[in-house]
Amino acid sequence: MRLLHRAAGLGLAALIAGALPASAQQKVLRIAMTAADVPTTTGAPNNGFEGVRFLGYPAFEGLVLWDLSRADRPATLRAGLAESWAQDPADPKTWIFKLRPGVKFHDGADFNADAVIWNLDRYWKNDSPQFEPAGSGIARARTPIMAGYKKLDDMTVAVSTTRVASYFPYMAVYILMTSPQSFEAAGRDWSRAAALPPAGTGPFRLSKFTPRVSAELSRNEGYWDKARIPKLDRVLLLPMPEANTRLAALRSGQVDWIEVPPPDAIPSLKQAGFNVVTNSYPHVWPWFYQMGGTATPFKDVRVRQGLNYCVDRAGLVGLLNDTAEPSVGWLKPSDPNFGKPENHYGFDPGRGKALLAAAGFTPQKPLTFKVMISASGSGQMLPLPMNEYMQQNLKEACGVEVSFEVTEWNTLLTAIRQSPDAPILNGSTSVNPSSPSSDPAVAARYFLQAFVPPNGFNWGQWNDPAFEEAFAALEVAKDEAAFNAAYAKAHERLVDNPPWLYIVHDLNPRAMSRRVKSFVSAQSWFQDLVTVDLQ
């Protein structure tokens, strides 16, 4: 099957030319994103984790940050706006954060405990003047165990959770801080604050924003970590959801960096001297099964397992020119916490058809369902040709009839926070959003029964008592051995009682001009722009 392409937009050159800064002396990195629009710019970016990657962490920071400095291991955590954090010995549901002194927001305001409480009220206090419904929805979905918070002194805050959670710092990375002063300067109007520009504490500051066209980041010379002052003067972010448009922009020199190049163009890009960067990282591209709806076929575990045996993952990897690797679980088989599940998924149509037949689906009564997919988006790789491949593969291998509800990325993200039969799904009983698989905090949001929408991302309403028991042991684990043993047991249930159809793990491909230097391809969905330079 050939990858599907469309002609590049004719107005691209004019778009970039109009967005470029006048000075040719400065180092300006131009990045083509897969997003269809510029992510929101107020410190609570939409457009999934691509929004966080480009209009989150570069300009806005949390109490805890990702360590993106290495390419040879999965990213870990490091101190951010909090110098340290720990569970309260008297109450393990409470975390104490000691804040970093001397930090200022881009607008000159001081970062302190009052600013932290103000930001938490923005997300969790519905009647606060700064409450922002859109940002609140994102924050609450990513941190669904927030119970309360309070200021202990000017540089210390306490955050309480609804359950003991050893992984809470992995949720804290997504609570980004914005200057309260910038909100006041905008007349307490978030839409105006988006263009002031808004003020975070990050190594870059937002210097220009044109809706649906571009956003520009500029180096923050006053950044609190003097060892991490960016080498670039500016970064220009351009939404380009169509892969061929991004490819044409790179080849013509209109941009320096593109996310997700078309796989069939990679050999010619390398031959032309472009740098194509990939790396293994914790990210999975699946179909979610809906188990709670009234008309879903996925209540039967044999259907969910059977489909996992029907997928020719190696064929899809070949289609993607080896920019992905087969997925047979939420974690990769090489992960020490993969466990020892009973099922070892591979391309076995005979076993897949037998399981489907046992569940009542035969050539005379084929399994039929609809999947909601996006045309592009954060982490979605190349969803249209990939899903067309899946449609043909499942039909030819196991007689399964799949149709698609094609929508925009943010609509898909909205849909997976809805009830099983919500009108927005239009009859879809499966959805195709990609997901990081970086840590148990993500697993909690997707798989614990407590986090069915609107409390989290367990859209399928999956409920496995053995998983719940193992995860409870993980949450209260006091040492690494106990933590890992519980995590492996939990993951075994994700394989043997699959809530998802596991398809591939992304290898995070991006293509760059030879001018781009010193980029470290972290094993993370997020990347560090501070080290990047232009020759």
Side-chain angles (χ1 to χ4, degrees):
M1 179 184 297
R2 292 188 305 108
L3 293 180
L4 303 182
H5 295 317
R6 297 186 318 203
L10 296 178
L12 177 62
L15 182 153
I16 296 176
L20 284 173
S23 173
Q25 303 299 317
Q26 294 190 331
K27 294 179 179 179
V28 182
L29 177 69
R30 302 160 299 171
I31 298 177
M33 304 180 292
T34 68
D37 195 2
V38 178
T40 44
T41 58
T42 55
N46 62 7
N47 275 277
F49 276 174
E50 187 173 41
V52 179
R53 176 194 289 160
F54 290 124
L55 279 167
Y57 294 137
F60 303 92
E61 297 176 310
L63 301 178
V64 183
L65 298 176
W66 289 104
D67 182 353
L68 305 173
S69 63
R70 294 176 59 170
D72 60 346
R73 69 178 186 190
T76 55
L77 299 181
R78 64 182 178 91
L81 296 179
E83 287 188 314
S84 64
W85 55 89
Q87 286 172 292
D88 185 340
D91 178 12
K93 290 184 180 179
T94 298
W95 290 78
I96 308 299
F97 290 88
K98 297 289 186 180
L99 305 184
R100 185 179 300 279
V103 176
K104 289 188 177 294
F105 289 100
H106 298 150
D107 60 3
D110 291 328
F111 170 77
N112 52 32
D114 290 331
V116 173
I117 299 303
W118 185 93
N119 275 277
L120 296 178
D121 282 350
R122 169 191 180 180
Y123 300 126
W124 276 281
K125 189 177 180 183
N126 293 29
D127 60 352
S128 68
Q130 68 269 31
F131 180 71
E132 183 198 7
S136 173
I138 293 170
R140 293 183 188 200
R142 291 176 180 160
T143 317
I145 62 175
M146 180 73 78
Y149 43 86
K150 62 182 178 179
K151 171 184 173 179
L152 300 183
D153 60 44
D154 284 347
M155 299 306 292
T156 312
V157 295
V159 177
S160 60
T161 57
T162 58
R163 55 201 294 150
V164 178
S166 57
Y167 49 78
F168 178 70
Y170 285 95
M171 290 184 171
V173 296
Y174 303 117
I175 307 171
L176 305 185
M177 302 290 158
T178 301
S179 168
Q181 181 174 286
S182 69
F183 180 69
E184 294 295 330
R188 297 190 171 191
D189 181 341
W190 282 114
S191 63
R192 290 182 59 196
L196 271 180
T201 61
F204 290 91
R205 65 176 72 214
L206 194 74
S207 51
K208 188 177 180 181
F209 167 53
T210 305
R212 305 199 70 84
V213 176
S214 65
E216 183 184 81
L217 303 172
S218 297
R219 179 172 56 225
N220 177 16
E221 297 284 3
Y223 185 51
W224 56 265
D225 187 347
K226 300 307 179 186
R228 285 182 44 77
I229 304 295
K231 297 177 183 178
L232 298 167
D233 293 294
R234 305 189 213 185
V235 178
L236 183 66
L237 300 167
L238 298 151
M240 294 186 196
E242 211 285 319
N244 261 9
T245 302
R246 296 193 297 273
L247 177 64
L250 180 66
R251 282 180 164 158
S252 65
Q254 295 170 330
V255 298
D256 309 293
W257 164 328
I258 65 172
E259 297 288 284
V260 195
D264 56 354
I266 287 176
S268 62
L269 283 171
K270 290 180 176 178
Q271 188 174 18
F274 291 98
N275 188 20
V276 178
V277 181
T278 60
N279 197 4
S280 180
Y281 81 120
H283 186 267
V284 60
W285 193 90
W287 287 357
F288 294 10
Y289 297 132
Q290 176 53 255
M291 286 147 279
T294 58
T296 177
F298 300 122
K299 296 179 186 291
D300 193 321
V301 67
R302 294 169 296 186
V303 175
R304 305 197 305 271
Q305 291 175 339
L307 285 174
N308 269 294
Y309 284 107
C310 290
V311 180
D312 181 4
R313 298 170 178 86
L316 182 53
V317 168
L319 178 73
L320 295 170
N321 218 329
D322 296 325
T323 58
E325 54 192 336
S327 170
V328 293
W330 191 67
L331 298 173
K332 298 180 182 183
S334 60
D335 193 297
N337 295 319
F338 187 86
K340 297 179 180 179
E342 295 178 6
N343 285 271
H344 301 277
Y345 298 125
F347 186 40
D348 189 345
R351 188 169 182 181
K353 286 189 286 188
L355 284 163
L356 292 178
F361 296 103
T362 64
Q364 293 74 37
K365 184 190 172 184
L367 173 63
T368 303
F369 61 95
K370 182 191 287 188
V371 185
M372 177 173 275
I373 68 174
S374 65
S376 65
S378 169
Q380 292 299 85
M381 305 177 69
L382 297 170
L384 295 181
M386 291 170 71
N387 279 301
E388 288 173 355
Y389 173 93
M390 288 292 297
Q391 183 183 50
Q392 182 175 326
N393 167 201
L394 293 176
K395 172 68 174 176
E396 293 177 352
C398 292
V400 177
E401 302 279 355
V402 177
S403 60
F404 295 124
E405 178 76 13
V406 184
T407 189
E408 195 269 332
W409 175 230
N410 276 320
T411 302
L412 179 59
L413 293 179
T414 300
I416 63 172
R417 294 195 286 266
Q418 308 303 312
S419 59
D421 299 314
I424 192 174
L425 292 161
N426 197 23
S428 301
T429 55
S430 180
V431 292
N432 170 230
S434 59
S435 165
S437 51
S438 53
D439 57 84
V442 180
R445 299 200 304 271
Y446 279 112
F447 305 122
L448 287 176
Q449 181 64 18
F451 301 127
V452 299
N455 298 324
F457 288 116
N458 187 354
W459 174 80
Q461 303 200 0
W462 185 69
N463 187 8
D464 184 296
F467 176 87
E468 299 275 333
E469 181 181 355
F471 213 85
L474 178 157
E475 290 181 316
V476 299
K478 298 297 185 182
D479 59 74
E480 187 174 357
F483 181 95
N484 289 338
Y487 198 5
K489 186 174 292 187
H491 188 264
E492 289 169 2
R493 298 306 303 153
L494 291 176
V495 177
D496 290 331
N497 184 20
W500 295 356
L501 175 56
Y502 303 111
I503 303 173
V504 292
H505 296 290
D506 188 4
L507 290 184
N508 215 3
R510 48 182 55 87
M512 303 175 182
S513 159
R514 283 174 288 187
R515 297 179 62 233
V516 179
K517 302 295 182 183
S518 304
F519 170 67
V520 177
S521 182
Q523 290 190 34
S524 169
W525 176 242
F526 309 107
Q527 300 296 327
D528 186 7
L529 297 179
V530 166
T531 65
V532 178
D533 203 355
L534 278 177
Q535 191 177 67

